[in-house]
Amino acid sequence: AQSVAQPEDQVNVAEGNPLTVKCTYSVSGNPYLFWYVQYPNRGLQFLLKYITGDNLVKGSYGFEAEFNKSQTSFHLKKPSALVSDSALYFCAVRDIRGFQKLVFGTGTRLLVSP
Amino acid sequence: NAGVTQTPKFQVLKTGQSMTLQCAQDMNHEYMSWYRQDPGMGLRLIHYSVGAGITDQGEVPNGYNVSRSTTEDFPLRLLSAAPSQTSVYFCASSYSGAGGRATNEKLFFGSGTQLSVL
């Protein structure tokens, strides 16, 4: 079965420093990978997706993600963190049955301190 | 732009009561789905629909019913609420593309319904 793992419950980073939120995946076939962000009391918002092509995917709000097939990873990155980036981040993979059914990770809380 | 609208935002039920969580989208999306979010478990798919009149089960369908009579609406029914159904529920929709088989379109989420079952 398709799955993703987010090994860190929380990531702490100082404003202005680079940030990385980790995600590893396990899939049958080609992976379709996504990152979503959830701000307090809000629904999830799409950040970026990897389907095929360049291993570095650029998304919303200055975020990018690096796809690494040999390490089965899809880490979310940003060169310079903002306090407003503090939120809950979810990695997701498309279910093998297709369509837009996604299997989500458990989420990583990002806390950016001033 | 309303997007995906969920009502109510909060609900408290007693064990055994029934209720319907409403979800409506105004983007003419073919695909709609319901997820529940529980601490430490991420989001889990309950039911989904690829178009009016078509529904299917997700990962955790027991205790929930859905129907899709229109493209816009996708209500989730709790038949007999149980404390295990205490959760935050999210409705999401997406464009399905030509032929209804697009697989890489992003999901648009509603703001959620926080449900407590006592």
Side-chain angles (χ1 to χ4, degrees), chain B residues 34-48:
Chain B
W34 278 100
Y35 286 86
R36 60 178 288 173
Q37 182 181 25
D38 300 293
M41 302 189 74
L43 281 79
R44 292 180 293 170
L45 181 64
I46 304 172
H47 285 285
Y48 67 96

Side-chain angles (χ1 to χ4, degrees), chain A residues 32 34 36 38 41-44 46 49 51 88 90 94 99-102 104-106, chain B residues 31 35 37 40 42 45 48 90 94-95 100-107 109-111:
Chain A
Y32 285 26
F34 302 80
Y36 282 80
Q38 185 180 27
N41 301 314
R42 302 285 298 276
L44 279 70
F46 172 84
K49 65 184 178 185
I51 307 300
L88 189 57
F90 289 95
R94 193 199 76 180
F99 298 104
Q100 283 86 329
K101 296 190 297 295
L102 297 183
F104 285 86
T106 53
Chain B
Y31 180 84
Y35 286 86
Q37 182 181 25
L45 181 64
Y48 67 96
F90 288 101
S94 180
Y95 174 61
R101 300 190 69 84
T103 58
N104 58 3
E105 296 297 326
K106 63 183 179 182
L107 289 172
F109 282 82
S111 57

